[in-house]
């Protein structure tokens, strides 16, 4: 079980094809602050039909994109 399971479930339930969340929003949804472990954990998100597109450390947000049928083209 990942510390980000609540976030993954939240994304799975979204109908939009993309989403941008601030670090604070992610912390509220996940019930835990975003930290360095997110970089390793983000691979788990594929099982929920989403992927991390971009992480902005300067502006403190993460963009997510719903996967389509050809999810392995970028080596993810």
């Amino acid at each position: 079980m990942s510390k980000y399971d609540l976030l993954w479930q939240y994304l799975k339930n979204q109908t939009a094809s993309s989403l941008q969340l601030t670090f604070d929003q992610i912390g509220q949804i996940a019930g835990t602050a975003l930290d360095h472990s997110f970089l390793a954990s983000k691979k788990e998100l594929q099982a929920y039909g989403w992927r991390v597109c971009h992480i902005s450390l300067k502006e403190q947000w993460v963009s997510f994109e719903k996967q389509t049928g050809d999810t392995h083209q970028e080596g993810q």
Side-chain angles (χ1 to χ4, degrees):
M1 183 169 173
S2 169
K3 69 191 256 179
Y4 296 107
D5 281 344
L6 291 174
L7 175 62
W8 305 157
Q9 192 62 46
Y10 173 84
L11 289 167
K12 181 180 178 182
N13 292 329
Q14 298 305 303
T15 58
S17 61
S18 63
L19 190 63
Q20 182 174 304
L21 298 172
T22 66
F23 288 7
D24 288 340
Q25 289 172 315
I26 290 170
Q28 290 173 2
I29 294 165
T32 186
L34 189 72
D35 61 23
H36 193 56
S37 69
F38 181 78
L39 296 174
S41 299
K42 69 180 185 171
K43 295 175 186 175
E44 302 165 356
L45 188 51
Q46 291 178 343
Y48 294 84
W50 286 78
R51 70 181 187 97
V52 172
C53 291
H54 187 76
I55 301 171
S56 174
L57 296 176
K58 181 179 179 182
E59 296 177 12
Q60 297 192 338
W61 54 259
V62 180
S63 65
F64 302 91
E65 182 177 83
K66 194 174 278 191
Q67 295 182 7
T68 60
D70 55 343
T71 58
H72 295 289
Q73 287 187 356
E74 294 182 33
Q76 296 214 24

